[in-house]
Amino acid sequence: MSVINSISPMMGASGGAAASPGFLGDIEGVSLDTNIICCLDAGAEDSYDGSSQDWLDLTETNIDWWRGTNDGAAANDPAFNGTSGNESSSEYFSFDGGDWLTVKTQPAEFQPWHKDNAAFTAVFWIFIPTGGMNNSRFISDCTSNAASTGFKFGTEGSGTLDDFFCQCLDSTTSPPMTGTSSETAHVTENAWNMIAVSIDEAAGAGGSFFYKRAGASSTIDAFNATYATPSAGSATFDMHIGADGGTGSPVVSGTRMAGVFLFSTNLSQANLDSIYTATNRSFV
């Protein structure tokens, strides 16, 4: 992935294309960019210029996002912190308990997430505030109502539990899949974490997992992501980051996000460890 969001790649000294900017270049450096469909980087000027209403995808897929709900400034816009282009641990978006990101146009790449044979990975560099992430959604194109269709990943725990949770919905009262953590991989509070969910629907028991790393080593919780009677239809809502598809369950006040990486394949723990090392801007 060398072409970034409507910007031609710069030429390197040898005449070839230079590395992509920011986190995308880091992921290219560990050869894990083949299946990346979205890369958001709060520190890269090509992804966020410091003042715009939109946060731009660095990949060729161009899955761009509004701060808040649309192109108009509003109270639900995450606030930018830092200096555009610095690419340090000081560049991030902060959330106040009622903020989120909304995809500009729901892309075809998200529709397989709630369907048979789903295979994808969602990765976040996120700061977890003291007090935990009770009932917060990291990414979702459905609601907490079972009568919607889509996928959601977040937390259902309270206080210091911070247990990961994901669910596939098919507009019935019996969700095709619910995955929960066993408290092995739950987040570290008052710290930056790289967290992820890796889904391989066809793999069955133990084939999917939650991931968390906030230091020397990572932890995972494996679960069975088999979708029973999944929907073949479209998601009910456009994808949101930081809230569910209907903007319920927003991430708690004090949350920060520096990067979001979405892949159209199920990455392994070793893959995610490589991404952690490559993209860690002294967060931890």
Side-chain angles (χ1 to χ4, degrees):
M1 289 285 187
S2 58
V3 179
I4 56 171
N5 211 324
S6 303
I7 301 173
S8 299
M10 297 177 63
M11 300 303 290
S14 64
S20 297
F23 287 140
L24 183 57
D26 298 333
I27 293 168
E28 288 175 347
V30 291
S31 301
L32 289 170
D33 58 299
T34 302
N35 295 296
I36 193 168
I37 60 170
C38 183
C39 180
L40 301 177
D41 184 342
E45 189 173 10
D46 291 308
S47 187
Y48 191 68
D49 64 7
S51 61
S52 292
Q53 190 63 17
D54 47 4
W55 193 4
L56 302 179
D57 177 14
L58 290 173
T59 79
E60 294 173 335
T61 319
N62 293 342
I63 300 176
D64 301 329
W65 302 74
W66 295 122
R67 292 192 299 128
T69 301
N70 52 39
D71 61 353
N76 51 32
D77 298 346
F80 177 68
N81 297 260
T83 302
S84 176
N86 270 13
E87 298 186 16
S88 74
S89 59
S90 297
E91 281 67 52
Y92 57 84
F93 286 94
S94 58
F95 295 73
D96 65 7
D99 297 337
W100 52 79
L101 304 166
T102 306
V103 70
K104 286 188 176 182
T105 302
Q106 179 82 337
E109 285 81 3
F110 290 155
Q111 296 302 336
W113 286 24
H114 61 272
K115 297 179 181 178
D116 196 26
N117 294 314
F120 63 92
T121 307
V123 185
F124 302 82
W125 267 111
I126 187 169
F127 181 90
I128 308 297
T130 300
M133 294 290 284
N134 180 35
N135 195 31
S136 296
R137 300 290 178 268
F138 305 126
I139 191 165
S140 172
D141 55 7
C142 59
T143 68
S144 296
N145 185 342
S148 68
T149 296
F151 180 86
K152 56 185 173 181
F153 166 46
T155 61
E156 288 287 76
S158 61
T160 57
L161 292 178
D162 296 324
D163 293 338
F164 288 134
F165 163 89
C166 69
Q167 196 167 55
C168 169
L169 298 181
D170 67 346
S171 296
T172 70
T173 57
S174 299
M177 186 279 294
T178 298
T180 57
S181 65
S182 60
E183 302 186 18
T184 300
H186 53 157
V187 296
T188 300
E189 295 182 7
N190 194 32
W192 283 98
N193 295 245
M194 196 182 92
I195 64 170
V197 62
S198 179
I199 297 290
D200 183 358
E201 190 273 340
S208 301
F209 62 90
F210 300 108
Y211 172 100
K212 167 259 177 177
R213 185 168 174 182
S217 60
S218 61
T219 54
I220 66 169
D221 271 329
F223 61 94
N224 185 346
T226 298
Y227 297 175
T229 62
S231 172
S234 298
T236 303
F237 297 94
D238 290 341
M239 194 69 81
H240 286 66
I241 291 173
D244 70 25
T247 68
S249 302
V251 292
V252 299
S253 181
T255 301
R256 307 170 188 171
M257 287 191 192
V260 180
F261 321 136
L262 307 177
F263 297 82
S264 60
T265 191
N266 53 299
L267 297 181
S268 68
Q269 182 179 8
N271 292 155
L272 292 168
D273 283 340
S274 294
I275 291 172
Y276 175 96
T277 301
T279 60
N280 186 358
R281 293 174 176 165
S282 299
F283 293 118
V284 180

